[in-house]
């Protein structure tokens, strides 16, 4: 397990939360080398999105 700590100004945290809300599997797939990597990218993005939401950055 890897723990990553990042300090972001509120506006950048919200921008990242917005991006992660809007990005979809097809976006990851277009950048991945295969479906497995795309799924891993989705999982990583969702983990970060949830962490941002836990800190109050959960755009509707």
């Amino acid at each position: 397990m890897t723990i990553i700590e990042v300090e972001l100004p509120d506006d950048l945290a919200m921008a990242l939360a917005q991006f992660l809300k809007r990005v979809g599997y097809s976006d990851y797939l277009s950048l991945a080398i295969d479906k497995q990597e795309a799924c891993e990218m989705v999982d990583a993005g969702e983990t970060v999105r949830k962490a941002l939401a836990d800190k109050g950055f959960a755009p509707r």
Side-chain angles (χ1 to χ4, degrees):
M1 198 54 109
T2 300
I3 296 173
I4 300 170
E5 293 185 36
V6 177
E7 290 187 29
L8 291 173
D10 288 352
D11 60 334
L12 295 184
M14 184 55 81
L16 182 56
Q18 285 284 7
F19 171 78
L20 291 170
K21 178 183 100 174
R22 294 175 183 161
V23 69
Y25 176 75
S26 62
D27 300 305
Y28 290 111
L29 185 59
S30 71
L31 298 169
I33 58 171
D34 59 22
K35 290 181 180 181
Q36 177 63 36
E37 185 179 60
C39 288
E40 291 169 354
M41 293 164 78
V42 168
D43 290 345
E46 281 300 295
T47 300
V48 173
R49 187 192 61 73
K50 288 175 187 172
L52 285 164
D54 288 347
K55 292 295 186 180
F57 297 96
R60 307 235 182 264

